[in-house]
Amino acid sequence: MKIILLLLALIITSCSSSLVYSPSLQLDKEQLDEGEVSVTGSVTMLPETRPTSLRDLRDLEESPQKTSLGFDGRIGYGFSESFNLEGRFWIDMDRLSGKRGGLALASAYYLNEDDRLSYFLKPTIGIVIDNGQYEGLGYELPIGLVYDITDSFYNYTSVGIAYGVRDGSVQQNGNREIGVGILGHIGFGYEFNDLACFKAELTPIQQLNFYDDTKYFIISGTLGLSLNF
């Protein structure tokens, strides 16, 4: 019986491998000025889209791996006082030696900015990649606030909803390769000077995978450094 279970697990895993995505905001303290550039590099825990497929096949009762160590790089540019665009990429440095990753575009909008507090939303669209091949599409819309604790130290918090699809058609198991998630973002930034800013963020995620009909609570952590020019 155990051999049969192992074979079934191998078949299921081979049909649809797990991918990784980057949910971190790495939010700047305020809207980028026109012509301003922000470059950020981060070490992050990338959530797995299918933790179930990463179980040790010798122990099917083992808790699945929910995140993989990765790198996130991004560059933002202020096209005007009210519009900026951020491009980013991420790669898995853990399980598959960087063969998994993704690309995304985002734009942060700051509302009702004053000296200490502002509201923001940061719509994001991205794709996930495995072995150099496009594997799926995802969206996220976080809404929250940024609060200046001191002149150099700030906090941001938000909640958002995410949606991802790898293949919307009905699969052999009768389900679609679709997932949704509710994400929280709790981040801090410390500006050393006008050039450099250290950022830290925790992202709790309630993730629902319709393909496996599974739910997972995942916490992603990120440490980054931004340079603004």
Side-chain angles (χ1 to χ4, degrees):
M1 177 60 73
K2 200 163 188 177
I3 294 177
I4 294 175
L5 289 175
L6 289 175
L7 289 174
L8 288 174
L10 282 169
I11 292 171
I12 293 171
T13 302
S14 63
C15 290
S16 179
S17 60
S18 184
L19 305 170
V20 290
Y21 61 98
S22 177
S24 173
L25 294 183
Q26 294 294 280
L27 197 73
D28 291 316
K29 183 178 181 180
E30 56 190 9
Q31 183 84 47
L32 294 178
D33 294 329
E34 183 175 357
E36 187 177 6
V37 177
S38 175
V39 179
T40 305
S42 307
V43 176
T44 182
M45 298 307 296
L46 301 172
E48 296 281 353
T49 60
R50 294 192 66 223
T52 299
S53 70
L54 299 179
R55 279 196 177 99
D56 187 337
L57 297 181
R58 295 165 299 180
D59 184 3
L60 298 180
E61 299 301 320
E62 179 192 43
S63 297
Q65 178 179 320
K66 297 180 180 179
T67 61
S68 289
L69 180 66
F71 175 80
D72 179 300
R74 57 187 74 191
I75 180 168
Y77 181 77
F79 289 92
S80 69
E81 296 299 321
S82 59
F83 176 69
N84 64 83
L85 194 63
E86 176 188 272
R88 76 176 192 254
F89 73 94
W90 59 91
I91 56 173
D92 170 23
M93 299 189 299
D94 185 4
R95 180 170 290 273
L96 296 177
S97 304
K99 293 181 180 179
R100 300 183 300 170
L103 303 168
L105 282 175
S107 183
Y109 297 91
Y110 293 73
L111 311 171
N112 300 322
E113 289 186 271
D114 59 28
D115 292 338
R116 299 294 299 275
L117 176 70
S118 60
Y119 300 93
F120 76 90
L121 63 155
K122 191 175 183 180
T124 303
I125 181 172
I127 63 172
V128 284
I129 297 169
D130 185 11
N131 237 355
Q133 300 294 320
Y134 165 81
E135 290 290 345
L137 181 68
Y139 310 89
E140 184 191 356
L141 180 60
I143 300 173
L145 56 86
V146 187
Y147 180 75
D148 295 349
I149 300 174
T150 68
D151 289 341
S152 300
F153 188 49
Y154 68 95
N155 161 249
Y156 58 89
T157 57
S158 73
V159 63
I161 186 167
Y163 171 83
V165 55
R166 188 173 191 174
D167 186 348
S169 61
V170 177
Q171 304 297 306
Q172 290 183 351
N173 64 358
N175 297 329
R176 292 175 170 84
E177 293 185 82
I178 294 173
V180 297
I182 298 175
L183 294 78
H185 302 275
I186 306 168
F188 294 90
Y190 182 81
E191 295 181 325
F192 297 103
N193 47 45
D194 292 337
L195 174 65
C197 178
F198 172 78
K199 297 174 180 176
E201 181 177 324
L202 282 178
T203 307
I205 306 163
Q206 181 60 52
Q207 180 175 292
L208 173 60
N209 185 333
F210 290 102
Y211 181 72
D212 296 316
D213 193 23
T214 55
K215 300 177 183 178
Y216 290 102
F217 180 71
I218 300 173
I219 296 181
S220 171
T222 305
L223 297 176
L225 181 66
S226 290
L227 300 176
N228 284 34
F229 306 93

